[in-house]
Amino acid sequence: MTAKTFFGLEEVLKQELINIGASKVKAGRRAVTFEGDLEIMYKANLHCRTALKILMPIKEFNARNENDLYEKVKKVNWAKYIDKDGTFAVDSTVWSDSFRHSKYVALKTKDAIADHFMEVFRRRPNVKIKNPDIQVHIHISQQNCILSLDSSGEALNRRGYRSEQKAAPLNEVLAAGLILMTGWKGDRPFLDPMCGSGTIIVEAAMIASNTPPGLKRKFAFMNWPKYDRRLWNQIFRDAKRAIKEIDVPIVGSDIDRSAIEIAMANAGRSGLDEDLRISKQSFFDRKSIGENGIIICNPPYGERIGKDIEELYKNMGDKLKQDFSGYDAWIFSGNMGALKHVGLRPSKRIELYNGAIECRLAKYEMYRGTK
């Protein structure tokens, strides 16, 4: 199988897959390949915080051009995977000199599947773009083509708790990845002093309580002919039993009242609102929330704040020195120049992307006294 993710999170996802018992786990670029049975596939969808999709390959071949692609897709025994009275959709990822347009590749694949059914059964399943019974994925790298069934359906970052958001919120998978990269496991106080719509603190509460990210959603594999409801129910029950109490403070604050209202609503939908402390407050009025805590925040990158951005980052560095000794502070930003104005030497800098924006996750260790 293949688990898709964002650039920079591959090693984190690899470890998550190893933890659920997957074998032959290998990190690639924006993806991790692995082997496992149905149980592993179900667990990967339910438990992996940094996966976007879990794909199960059904056919691999080389295609020279669109006609070659069409003929080879059409030869697949699609009745094994799609009910002729059901619905399906096709999406695609293409990195190729021979195939330039991913939408055209998806269209050709869809036509080939439909024509296969017309030839064999004289009828065909309907195409349904939103929530089809079966989602087919085609990945083309140069002339190598892999057809897969998408076992997830809607992308796995859709946890079900976030229906309201401020502009450009952090993707849930990326937020979880940031937290897991810090090594935090719910064992020390956690603060996001610029929490926006609350994605980082909700993901932190899910990690600390061992709440699976897929607990409140449905998956595409539930529509598959070989769906094992009994096995899924057992995995789901085991996951619910493993949820535990959170015994450290997890705190989020923001200067924007409307963002705080959205954060509270999102926390409520997650079912973890009682474990979170959320308030309207400027970072610069905050005090520490206990000994030896951790700060993770995603401050503005500069698009909305303009020339004050460098001063904001300088003030953040001053605040960390003044009030957060003994803490580890992790700042995730797409403004490399502004990060230099924090005025502290980072002990780590990790390259990541927020959408198309190149970012850094920088770690600052706030030593007590002198180092």
Side-chain angles (χ1 to χ4, degrees):
M1 288 173 268
T2 300
K4 295 178 78 171
T5 189
F6 291 125
F7 173 86
L9 299 184
E10 298 92 349
E11 289 297 328
V12 180
L13 178 53
K14 177 182 172 181
Q15 192 55 54
E16 287 197 275
L17 287 161
I18 290 167
N19 292 347
I20 61 162
S23 58
K24 297 187 180 172
V25 187
K26 193 174 162 205
R29 188 175 173 85
R30 295 194 178 95
V32 180
T33 57
F34 63 102
E35 289 184 10
D37 54 12
L38 263 189
E39 181 179 352
I40 294 297
M41 188 183 75
Y42 292 174
K43 283 182 172 178
N45 276 288
L46 180 64
H47 289 288
C48 287
R49 301 180 192 280
T50 55
L52 289 162
K53 293 267 184 188
I54 307 296
L55 303 174
M56 188 181 82
I58 55 173
K59 185 77 176 170
E60 184 169 1
F61 56 86
N62 278 8
R64 297 181 306 281
N65 52 41
E66 278 92 355
N67 289 338
D68 198 19
L69 171 72
Y70 170 87
E71 292 299 336
K72 285 174 176 168
V73 172
K74 195 170 149 194
K75 281 197 179 94
V76 174
N77 179 11
W78 286 105
K80 264 176 76 176
Y81 310 109
I82 304 172
D83 189 305
K84 61 183 179 296
D85 299 315
T87 60
F88 78 103
V90 179
D91 70 348
S92 57
T93 313
V94 178
W95 312 90
S96 175
D97 298 323
S98 309
F99 301 91
R100 296 296 179 89
H101 299 290
S102 60
K103 281 189 177 161
Y104 188 63
V105 163
L107 187 66
K108 274 307 238 195
T109 303
K110 172 194 72 81
D111 289 347
I113 295 169
D115 292 349
H116 167 89
F117 276 96
M118 288 304 290
E119 277 187 18
V120 177
F121 300 102
R122 298 274 180 267
R123 59 199 287 197
R124 44 160 285 189
N126 287 322
V127 173
K128 187 182 175 196
I129 301 303
K130 202 163 173 58
N131 298 324
D133 295 332
I134 303 293
Q135 178 79 53
V136 177
H137 181 83
I138 180 157
H139 180 278
I140 301 184
S141 178
Q142 294 308 343
Q143 295 188 344
N144 175 254
C145 308
I146 301 174
L147 282 166
S148 301
L149 299 185
D150 176 352
S151 72
S152 308
E154 203 173 22
L156 294 174
N157 62 288
R158 301 296 181 91
R159 321 280 210 218
Y161 67 78
R162 198 170 81 179
S163 67
E164 300 173 57
Q165 56 198 41
K166 293 292 283 177
L170 206 59
N171 184 291
E172 299 91 330
V173 159
L174 182 54
L178 298 181
I179 298 163
L180 293 173
M181 279 181 157
T182 71
W184 184 81
K185 294 183 176 71
D187 47 357
R188 51 200 287 213
F190 186 103
L191 170 65
D192 179 355
M194 296 179 170
C195 72
S197 51
T199 308
I200 289 175
I201 53 169
V202 172
E203 293 294 325
M206 290 172 90
I207 289 168
S209 61
N210 208 27
T211 300
L215 204 63
K216 290 182 179 289
R217 52 164 288 158
K218 298 278 187 249
F219 302 96
F221 63 71
M222 292 171 171
N223 298 317
W224 290 8
K226 290 185 176 164
Y227 172 47
D228 187 335
R229 185 184 297 277
R230 185 176 292 176
L231 174 62
W232 168 253
N233 287 341
Q234 183 61 51
I235 289 166
F236 190 80
R237 281 196 298 271
D238 290 347
K240 283 190 87 167
R241 272 199 292 269
I243 294 171
K244 59 184 203 268
E245 294 283 317
I246 297 174
D247 48 18
V248 295
I250 299 176
V251 178
S253 54
D254 200 283
I255 200 165
D256 182 340
R257 180 173 297 284
S258 64
I260 286 300
E261 286 167 2
I262 292 168
M264 286 175 164
N266 289 341
R269 275 186 294 271
S270 77
L272 293 159
D273 47 323
E274 290 186 11
D275 296 299
L276 294 168
R277 289 167 20 200
I278 303 172
S279 62
K280 179 186 177 295
Q281 191 175 19
S282 165
F283 177 24
F284 303 107
D285 297 331
R286 281 225 68 100
K287 294 289 183 237
S288 63
I289 50 165
E291 299 284 305
N292 187 35
I294 182 171
I295 291 172
I296 302 180
C297 68
N298 176 35
Y301 302 166
E303 292 89 341
R304 294 187 293 278
I305 287 193
K307 59 181 180 292
D308 299 334
I309 196 78
E310 290 171 359
E311 189 181 346
L312 171 72
Y313 280 63
K314 178 193 175 297
N315 292 342
M316 284 171 66
D318 292 345
K319 177 69 178 173
L320 290 171
K321 281 184 283 196
Q322 186 182 326
D323 287 321
F324 291 94
S325 68
Y327 272 60
D328 287 332
W330 296 76
I331 298 176
F332 179 63
S333 177
N335 190 323
M336 315 301 168
L339 270 176
K340 290 176 183 164
H341 288 266
V342 171
L344 300 164
R345 179 169 300 210
S347 57
K348 257 188 194 170
R349 281 166 65 88
I350 301 167
E351 182 185 350
L352 295 161
Y353 281 80
N354 185 359
I357 303 167
E358 186 181 343
C359 296
R360 293 291 182 275
L361 176 63
K363 179 186 184 183
Y364 304 95
E365 295 175 32
M366 312 310 300
Y367 296 99
R368 294 191 180 282
T370 56
K371 184 175 174 182

